Amino acid sequence: MRRVLPQYPEAARRKGREGRVVLRLVIGACGELKDAAVVEGGGHGFEEAALEAARASAYAPAVRGGRAVECAAMLPIRFSLKGG
C-alpha cells in the first residue's frame, strides 16, 4: 500500500477555502484501483485533487475467507488550512 496525499488546490488556499470530499473506491482482487467516483464534493477544485491522489495511490486487496476479493470502500478526505 502507498497513500498519496492530495495537493491543496492553490486557488482554494488563496481564498482560505476548506472542504471535504468523499470518494467511493472499487479495489480489485489484485489491489488495483478499478474505479474512483466522487460521492460528496467540496467544490473549489477539491474533487479533482482527491481523485488524482486516489488514482496515484496503491492499495491492498480485501481478504475474505483467506482469498483476495474485489471490494468497494468509502474514502473521506478533508482539506484543512492548518494555521493558515
Side-chain angles (χ1 to χ4, degrees):
M1 264 181 56
R2 182 190 76 230
R3 181 176 180 197
V4 175
L5 297 176
Q7 294 292 317
Y8 209 103
E10 195 54 42
R13 184 183 304 281
R14 282 194 308 270
K15 293 179 182 177
R17 304 288 186 190
E18 296 184 333
R20 179 175 179 255
V21 176
V22 178
L23 300 179
R24 180 179 186 275
L25 306 179
V26 178
I27 300 164
C30 293
E32 76 280 14
L33 180 65
K34 296 181 100 176
D35 188 43
V38 176
V39 174
E40 181 183 315
H44 310 290
F46 294 135
E47 295 94 344
E48 294 83 2
L51 284 168
E52 187 177 317
R55 291 179 180 132
S57 296
Y59 303 90
V63 177
R64 183 183 309 144
R67 290 186 48 219
V69 295
E70 183 174 303
C71 72
M74 302 300 269
L75 175 63
I77 300 173
R78 178 159 304 280
F79 290 86
S80 177
L81 293 168
K82 297 180 178 115

